[in-house]
């Protein structure tokens, strides 16, 4: 059991919402459109898209217009800003069609709220003001949380910077040791939360975390979960 916790805050994508198929489908939609207009294979486009995506995420750039401009440049093509705007719309439309709450999300949120804990979300922007919050509301969970902070929209900095976590503590009027943050990415979700004194749990649904290979440097999570429902017992809500 984690002592003295009065609030639980969650990351969004890949933590409470399963976007693995959404991400894959959105990439395929973009790759199909760019393949048709450039004459290149979808494989070539997907490879360029994957490379750009990894690079952009590593520097905290989430604006898909920037991503797709980089992809188009890498493919040696020239496309208008209007075309890229349409590509972004198609990407997010495809993403939202395949986005689903994990089966353990609602039971966990219901149980934690039932035992008096305050709940919230700290998630990074989608690169367009209002889009992530619109997705959260569209997925039907916005009203289940006391606070929702979209880092990069509501704050200057995105995770792993501590600013969004500091903002959450200010809104909750709590100290870090009264809050548990739950995320899925070691390098993004742990440093900022630990910097303000929060307890941190990582959700590892596919058993990919390994202490020998993943914890070479940097702060470590306090807990590793394989299902969100584990929180119910850990926090004494069972």
């Amino acid at each position: 059991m984690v002592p003295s916790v009065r609030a639980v805050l969650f990351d969004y994508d890949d933590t409470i919402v399963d976007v693995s198929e959404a991400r894959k489908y959105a990439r395929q939609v973009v790759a199909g459109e760019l393949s048709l207009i450039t004459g290149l294979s979808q494989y070539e486009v997907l490879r360029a898209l994957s490379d750009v995506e990894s690079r952009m995420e590593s520097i905290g750039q989430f604006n898909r217009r920037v991503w797709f401009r980089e992809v188009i440049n890498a493919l040696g093509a020239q496309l208008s800003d209007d075309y890229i705007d349409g590509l972004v719309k198609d990407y997010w439309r495809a993403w939202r069609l395949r986005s689903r709450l994990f089966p353990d999300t609602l039971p966990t949120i219901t149980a934690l709220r039932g035992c008096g804990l305050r709940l919230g979300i700290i998630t990074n922007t989608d690169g367009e003001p209002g889009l992530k919050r619109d997705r959260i509301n569209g997925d039907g969970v916005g009203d289940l949380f006391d606070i929702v902070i979209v880092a990069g929209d509501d704050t200057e900095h995105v995770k792993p910077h501590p600013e969004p976590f500091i903002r959450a503590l200010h809104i909750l009027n709590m100290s870090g040791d009264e809050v548990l943050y739950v995320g899925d990415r070691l390098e993004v979700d742990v440093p900022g939360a630990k910097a303000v004194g929060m307890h941190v749990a990582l959700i590892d649904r596919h058993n990919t975390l390994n202490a020998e290979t993943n914890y070479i440097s940097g702060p470590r999570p306090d807990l590793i979960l394989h299902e969100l429902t584990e929180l119910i017992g850990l926090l004494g809500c069972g």
Side-chain angles (χ1 to χ4, degrees), residues 20-137:
S20 56
E21 285 300 315
R23 185 181 291 111
K24 181 179 178 181
Y25 182 52
R27 287 172 180 162
Q28 289 173 339
V29 166
V30 169
E33 292 186 29
L34 288 177
S35 175
L36 285 173
I37 203 166
T38 63
L40 298 170
S41 70
Q42 286 199 34
Y43 172 78
E44 291 175 284
V45 178
L46 282 169
R47 185 173 59 183
L49 182 57
S50 179
D51 290 344
V52 168
E53 180 178 311
S54 296
R55 181 159 50 85
M56 293 292 104
E57 289 192 340
S58 72
I59 62 173
Q61 172 58 263
F62 302 105
N63 189 326
R64 267 51 174 187
R65 286 175 178 79
V66 176
W67 289 22
F68 298 156
R69 174 61 68 191
E70 289 284 313
V71 171
I72 290 163
N73 288 341
L75 297 174
Q78 292 186 345
L79 298 172
S80 70
D81 289 342
D82 286 344
Y83 182 87
I84 294 174
D85 286 345
L87 208 59
V88 171
K89 290 178 182 178
D90 291 344
Y91 174 92
W92 285 117
R93 187 180 299 114
W95 180 293
R96 296 176 79 157
L97 285 172
R98 300 292 178 92
S99 176
R100 300 286 186 273
L101 293 177
F102 282 111
D104 55 6
T105 294
L106 290 180
T108 301
I109 291 171
T110 300
L112 298 186
R113 180 167 292 285
C115 69
L117 292 169
R118 297 191 70 186
L119 303 178
I121 292 172
I122 302 177
T123 181
N124 278 340
T125 178
D126 283 336
E128 296 188 44
L131 178 57
K132 177 62 74 66
R133 195 175 296 272
D134 185 53
R135 285 210 290 122
I136 291 169
N137 291 331

Side-chain angles (χ1 to χ4, degrees), residues 187-226:
E187 71 281 9
V188 174
D189 293 315
V190 178
K194 295 296 285 185
V196 301
M198 290 182 183
H199 307 280
V200 181
L202 278 189
I203 182 78
D204 181 25
R205 298 179 186 277
H206 305 293
N207 296 306
T208 57
L209 288 176
N210 180 294
E212 298 299 322
T213 59
N214 292 100
Y215 300 150
I216 296 173
S217 63
R220 300 186 178 198
D222 301 288
L223 301 166
I224 300 294
L225 309 172
H226 299 292

Side-chain angles (χ1 to χ4, degrees), residues 138-151:
D139 288 334
V141 296
D143 291 340
L144 301 179
F145 294 94
D146 300 295
I147 65 169
V148 174
I149 294 174
V150 180

Side-chain angles (χ1 to χ4, degrees), residues 221-238:
D222 301 288
L223 301 166
I224 300 294
L225 309 172
H226 299 292
E227 295 182 3
L228 287 180
T229 48
E230 293 174 44
L231 290 170
I232 299 171
L234 287 167
L235 296 172
C237 295

